[in-house]
Amino acid sequence: MTQDSAADRLTHFDAAGQAHMVDVGAKADTHRVAVAGGRIRMQPATLAMVRDGNARKGDVLGVARVAAIQAAKRASELIPLCHPLALTRVAVDFAIDEALGAVRCRVQAETRGPTGVEMEALTAVQVGLLTIYDMCKAVDRGMVIEDVALLEKRGGKSGDWVRPA
């Protein structure tokens, strides 16, 4: 694939190569779903503190869940060409992975509209994990956020997509 052919398919650029917000006005409203995930690795003692709910700042995962939901609702304020969406659902799940020494985050975002919710799900994962970092940084500055990715999307003209295993 040449650089020109890839650029021809980037929808956020017009014919002159200028950035623009994609016009979704003529697209049909459909049920759209996006699922994203990621994790934050930390020291075993930090993970135990998060798991047991005894962090000095309070319920780390509860606060991170609310932060992730809030982030999904505000994705268009952070990402310049992202459309503001009326979200119909944002579900945030955290799982402790003792073997990896990590907290996993999974977000499912949904809407009924003319454009997808991938950016909302991805933003929610990042902010949820950043909130965990913020709440635990006093005891573990070496935490690492990693493997944030779109896991699946459903709906819209391009159809369904699932990340290969």
Side-chain angles (χ1 to χ4, degrees):
M1 176 185 304
T2 68
Q3 189 173 12
D4 288 338
S5 66
D8 289 343
R9 294 196 323 226
L10 294 175
T11 58
H12 286 88
F13 295 95
D14 64 17
Q18 301 296 310
H20 73 106
M21 182 180 260
V22 175
D23 181 359
V24 297
K27 292 173 75 178
D29 284 355
T30 61
H31 182 228
R32 314 280 187 136
V33 178
V35 179
R39 66 182 178 224
I40 183 168
R41 284 187 297 113
M42 58 192 67
Q43 296 174 4
T46 310
L47 186 63
M49 180 185 69
V50 171
R51 181 195 62 228
D52 298 341
N54 58 13
R56 248 184 36 218
K57 290 186 177 181
D59 178 9
V60 172
L61 298 182
V63 173
R65 180 173 291 104
V66 173
I69 292 167
Q70 181 177 353
K73 294 175 5 179
R74 301 186 77 167
S76 67
E77 295 175 30
L78 301 169
I79 302 165
L81 303 178
C82 183
H83 289 85
L85 300 180
L87 296 170
T88 57
R89 178 172 188 256
V90 178
V92 181
D93 294 309
F94 291 104
I96 303 294
D97 184 333
E98 299 279 354
L100 190 59
V103 176
R104 294 182 181 277
C105 178
R106 183 179 183 277
V107 173
Q108 181 167 320
E110 298 184 33
T111 192
R112 180 155 186 81
T115 191
V117 290
E118 296 91 349
M119 299 314 298
E120 289 72 14
L122 287 161
T123 300
V125 168
Q126 290 281 25
V127 171
L129 296 174
L130 284 168
T131 300
I132 293 170
Y133 187 97
D134 180 53
M135 293 187 72
C136 298
K137 69 182 182 273
V139 296
D140 187 355
R141 293 197 187 276
M143 292 175 283
V144 176
I145 294 171
E146 58 191 9
D147 292 334
V148 174
L150 182 68
L151 304 176
E152 66 180 275
K153 68 104 53 222
R154 295 192 302 268
K157 187 172 118 180
S158 65
D160 298 350
W161 178 86
V162 176
R163 178 167 292 287

